[in-house]
Amino acid sequence: MKHYTWQEPDFDEDDNYLGPVTMVWSEQDIIESYWPWWKNAMIAKYGEGHELITKENCIEDFVVVHWAIEVKDE
């Protein structure tokens, strides 16, 4: 299973910027978290059952939106 990494900003309780936080999610993490929202957005755009509404396209969109990169096993 592929894993992806990206950075998000971190803030304290007073909304002061603390720096970046590195995130690492598996494809399964992306599907569990992003798929419900993404699928509904795509249904609103294309209609129920459209051929572009796939989990693979969901992962691809997540990677683009978050500027994520695949973590390569060494």
Side-chain angles (χ1 to χ4, degrees), residues 5-74:
T5 185
W6 74 98
Q7 291 188 335
E8 292 186 353
D10 189 25
F11 298 91
D12 67 15
E13 62 277 350
D14 296 322
D15 211 25
N16 296 309
Y17 179 67
L18 300 175
V21 175
T22 299
M23 308 292 292
V24 179
W25 279 11
S26 69
E27 290 175 312
Q28 185 61 39
D29 294 328
I30 294 169
I31 293 303
E32 287 174 8
S33 179
Y34 198 61
W35 172 255
W37 176 86
W38 184 88
K39 181 181 177 187
N40 287 332
M42 295 302 105
I43 289 170
K45 182 174 183 172
Y46 296 116
E48 183 78 40
H50 194 279
E51 64 185 15
L52 291 177
I53 302 173
T54 66
K55 290 183 177 179
E56 292 79 15
N57 285 342
C58 173
I59 292 168
E60 185 176 326
D61 282 356
F62 180 91
V63 168
V64 169
V65 167
H66 290 84
W67 294 33
I69 56 172
E70 184 179 346
V71 177
K72 299 289 186 182
D73 293 330
E74 295 183 16

